[in-house]
Amino acid sequence: MTPKVSVQGVTKWFGAACVLDDVSLDVAPHQTVCLIGASGSGKSTLLRTINGLVPVDHGRIALDGVPIDDPSFGRTGVQRRVAIVFQSYNLFPHLTVMGNLTLAPRRVHGVSRADAEERAMSLLSRFGLAGFANSYPEQLSGGQQQRVAIARALATDPDVLLLDEVTAALDPELVGEVLAIIRDLKADGLTMVIVTHEMTFARQVADRVYFLDGGRIVEDAPPDRLFTAPDHPRCRAFLARILAAGRM
Amino acid sequence: MSDPVPGGPGGPDPSRRPRPPRSRSGDWRAAAVPAAISAASIAVVFGLIGWWVTSAEQWPRIVAQFFSLHAMQVSFPRVLQGFWVSMQIWVVVLLATAVWGLVLAVLRSLRGPVFAPFRLMVVIYIDLFRGIPALLLVLLFGFGIPALNLPGLPNSGLFWGAVAMVLSYAAYVAEIYRSGIDAVHEGQRAAAQSLGLTEWQTMVWAILPQALRNVLPALMNIVVALQKDVALLSVIGVRDAVREAQIYTAQTFNYSSLVVAAALFMLATVPMARLADWVTRRDRARRLQVAG
Ligand SMILES: Nc1ncnc2c1ncn2[C@@H]1O[C@H](COP(=O)(O)OP(=O)(O)OP(=O)(O)O)[C@@H](O)[C@H]1O
Ligand SMILES: [Mg+2]
């Protein structure tokens, strides 16, 4: 079966720093993979290359077997089918929740206002945010804002959702509401690539876990194996540090 | 609001929140005494200066030259008419400056390599027009271009003088806009691009609305400054308030008409300045709210 997302030998330099070094990974349709690794290991950069936000220097990224820079995707095709959610929500503060969710469908994909709002409302109700359609982001809690950000990413009906430490900026009591949504999306069969420091969560939802170190994938395995019996000494050390910090 | 997500919000019931403390009435009384003392000392100082000036030998001449009621009455209709012209110029120059400045700022803020030549041109433009005194530009354009009698172009000094004002002011306004654009968080750009917006759409729908809100107070100050600086156009013979007042002065050797023009400008700029203050205060309150 063609993988949904295929990353082959991707290398990325920022100036003199090699941030991604010959990275390869495949994500099958409806799979959830988690990326873990120390700060600066290149997790965010890898996510951003997958939806074309960061151009790569070498290697190939394909969606359903088609390279993401293929003209058949059109001007905005990759972003339409691969959506990303950031740690800091990055909602548009001058737009209401509804405005945030309908901006891309209306302005980029030419969806009518009525249709865009209908889809937005169904996403908001699903995420328990139906009452906030006309609120501005600053009037919401962090957890609510992050749920809106996930809804915004799903508003264009993407095939793949990339989540970059979406709970890292949240107060502990708000983390649960966001993770609940992600579990829900997994149950729906959405293909997801998740960068997270929530190891317990990663273990529950991931079909496969990739450990990045210095821009390289040094170990990948199903979660039960990677978290209980990691092979690579760097991965063992990383997990030991996480364990010591009480985050697993 | 249904909230099926676990750990969802259950905000505090607002009706059970304690009320904010009422500001105590003693506050203004405590403030009244020092305020009264300083007001009294200011009154004494300025009263003395006023008495000293008005008792001077030349004072009646000063009154006759600058504050002659008769001269004011006679010159008033023409000065008022000129003032009306000034305000019309102000509105037109203001709108043109706002639009042209925005075009410059946006061109300078677009990032693609395609836009590099535009960015360079804007930088040169801004250096050029900020470096030349506005008065000089008004003279150059207002006298110089009509003298060329260019076919197909308007020939009025007023038109070209106004163009000079717009070109000069837009250089400042563009820099204000740009500071607002730069102040928008980088994450906003990433979010817009990740949603598939082009660079142009990102600018229009995500960046500019926030940037304009950021710079509104600074722009208001330009609005007020421009309101009186349109008087520069009088040097090329535009019959605005200053020009009309000068004509009267030249005929009668009495300066009261200029005082009338000054009063009219004050009447227009002071409310605008208060409006600018109000916009600034509201903006600060909004920022505090967001930050808190
Ligand atoms: N736009 C950029 N320009 C230059 N260097 C960058 C840029 N983005 C990231 N880097 C560098 O690339 C390296 C990897 O960054 P990245 O954000 O991908 O790490 P990360 O694994 O997501 O870390 P964290 O867990 O802290 O989010 C870091 O050393 C970072 O400083
Ligand atoms: Mg990161």
Side-chain angles (χ1 to χ4, degrees):
Chain A
M1 189 166 45
T2 329
K4 189 76 188 168
V5 176
S6 159
V7 175
Q8 295 297 329
V10 160
T11 300
K12 174 69 192 177
W13 294 79
F14 279 125
C18 186
V19 176
L20 293 178
D21 182 1
D22 194 19
V23 170
S24 298
L25 69 91
D26 281 349
V27 189
H30 314 300
Q31 254 202 344
T32 298
V33 307
C34 283
L35 305 178
I36 61 172
S39 180
S41 56
K43 307 180 296 290
S44 300
T45 308
L46 177 55
L47 274 198
R48 285 163 186 243
T49 60
I50 295 177
N51 86 331
L53 272 186
V54 171
V56 302
D57 296 321
H58 297 287
R60 211 181 84 107
I61 297 172
L63 190 64
D64 289 323
V66 183
I68 59 166
D69 52 4
D70 194 272
S72 68
F73 278 116
R75 193 170 46 77
T76 58
V78 178
Q79 279 96 18
R80 177 187 201 156
R81 299 189 43 202
V82 182
I84 187 167
V85 182
F86 302 96
Q87 171 179 338
S88 48
Y89 337 131
N90 296 354
L91 294 175
F92 302 123
H94 60 292
L95 298 176
T96 61
V97 166
M98 182 55 85
N100 268 276
L101 263 66
T102 55
L103 179 65
R106 288 180 61 198
R107 305 297 167 195
V108 182
H109 306 298
V111 177
S112 77
R113 182 183 177 144
D115 291 351
E117 291 190 344
E118 194 185 313
R119 168 150 181 93
M121 266 328 283
S122 77
L123 280 166
L124 289 177
S125 331
R126 174 170 176 197
F127 292 173
L129 296 161
F132 296 100
N134 296 317
S135 306
Y136 283 88
E138 69 193 37
Q139 297 168 316
L140 306 181
S141 75
Q144 289 166 337
Q145 289 190 48
Q146 193 57 289
R147 282 186 278 155
V148 172
I150 296 174
R152 180 176 70 177
L154 294 173
T156 50
D157 201 13
D159 303 358
V160 180
L161 186 63
L162 311 173
L163 299 163
D164 192 356
E165 296 191 42
V166 290
T167 57
L170 298 179
D171 292 337
E173 74 268 23
L174 301 178
V175 168
E177 60 187 71
V178 173
L179 296 186
I181 280 179
I182 300 172
R183 284 197 190 91
D184 200 35
L185 293 173
K186 179 181 165 64
D188 265 15
L190 190 65
T191 308
M192 288 189 283
V193 182
I194 303 177
V195 171
T196 184
H197 284 299
E198 303 279 342
M199 297 303 158
T200 319
F201 173 72
R203 195 165 173 175
Q204 290 164 3
V205 338
D207 297 305
R208 196 162 188 92
V209 181
Y210 291 79
F211 171 69
L212 265 89
D213 184 63
R216 300 184 70 93
I217 292 178
V218 298
E219 179 157 7
D220 70 281
D224 284 331
R225 217 190 63 233
L226 192 130
F227 286 117
T228 50
D231 277 338
H232 199 279
R234 304 281 303 189
C235 187
R236 271 203 295 276
F238 173 73
L239 291 174
R241 277 205 306 280
I242 295 273
L243 198 62
R247 298 185 71 164
M248 194 165 84
Chain B
M1 285 174 268
S2 66
D3 200 327
V5 177
D13 178 1
S15 61
R16 288 179 55 190
R17 226 178 271 153
R19 292 177 179 229
R22 223 179 273 166
S23 66
R24 276 161 298 149
S25 54
D27 286 356
W28 73 263
R29 259 178 239 139
V33 175
I37 291 175
S38 59
S41 24
I42 287 171
V44 168
V45 171
F46 280 90
L48 281 175
I49 294 175
W51 172 77
W52 179 68
V53 169
T54 52
S55 63
E57 206 181 316
Q58 297 91 337
W59 178 243
R61 264 176 57 210
I62 294 175
V63 170
Q65 277 283 19
F66 291 94
F67 302 103
S68 150
L69 269 184
H70 172 71
M72 285 178 172
Q73 267 166 3
V74 174
S75 61
F76 183 76
R78 273 162 58 188
V79 176
L80 183 66
Q81 201 186 355
F83 181 71
W84 178 230
V85 172
S86 297
M87 290 302 100
Q88 282 173 308
I89 299 172
W90 170 58
V91 170
V92 173
V93 169
L94 182 64
L95 293 178
T97 304
V99 172
W100 180 228
L102 187 60
V103 170
L104 292 171
V106 168
L107 281 179
R108 192 171 177 176
S109 302
L110 293 176
R111 293 189 178 175
V114 191
F115 301 108
F118 290 104
R119 286 197 296 270
L120 182 67
M121 273 160 59
V122 173
V123 171
I124 294 173
Y125 173 97
I126 290 175
D127 282 351
L128 198 67
F129 282 93
R130 274 202 313 191
I132 304 174
L135 176 60
L136 202 66
L137 283 173
V138 168
L139 288 172
L140 270 176
F141 277 66
F143 282 140
I145 297 185
L148 292 177
N149 258 322
L150 294 173
L153 286 177
N155 226 347
S156 95
L158 167 59
F159 176 81
W160 288 109
V163 167
M165 294 286 297
V166 171
L167 293 178
S168 174
Y169 262 76
Y172 292 95
V173 170
E175 288 296 273
I176 293 177
Y177 282 130
R178 192 169 69 102
S179 71
I181 290 171
D182 288 351
V184 175
H185 196 272
E186 195 54 40
Q188 294 288 309
R189 234 176 245 271
Q193 273 164 17
S194 76
L195 288 168
L197 275 73
T198 59
E199 169 144 34
W200 178 250
Q201 289 173 324
T202 300
M203 189 52 93
V204 171
W205 298 108
I207 309 293
L208 276 186
Q210 300 181 54
L212 294 185
R213 216 202 250 184
N214 288 344
V215 299
L216 196 59
L219 284 181
M220 284 303 292
N221 286 323
I222 292 278
V223 172
V224 177
L226 190 62
Q227 198 170 23
K228 56 192 171 49
D229 287 359
V230 289
L232 277 177
L233 292 187
S234 67
V235 298
I236 53 168
V238 173
R239 308 265 306 229
D240 69 347
V242 176
R243 189 74 194 157
E244 291 289 359
Q246 265 181 327
I247 291 171
Y248 182 85
T249 302
Q251 289 162 352
T252 61
F253 301 103
N254 188 297
Y255 295 94
S256 305
S257 57
L258 285 169
V259 174
V260 170
L264 286 173
F265 275 109
M266 292 273 295
L267 223 57
T269 52
V270 169
M272 283 309 291
R274 291 291 82 77
L275 181 65
D277 286 350
W278 179 76
V279 168
T280 310
R281 262 204 314 278
R282 212 186 44 160
D283 179 69
R284 186 176 306 144
R286 180 178 65 83
R287 278 163 204 272
L288 285 177
Q289 207 176 15
V290 173

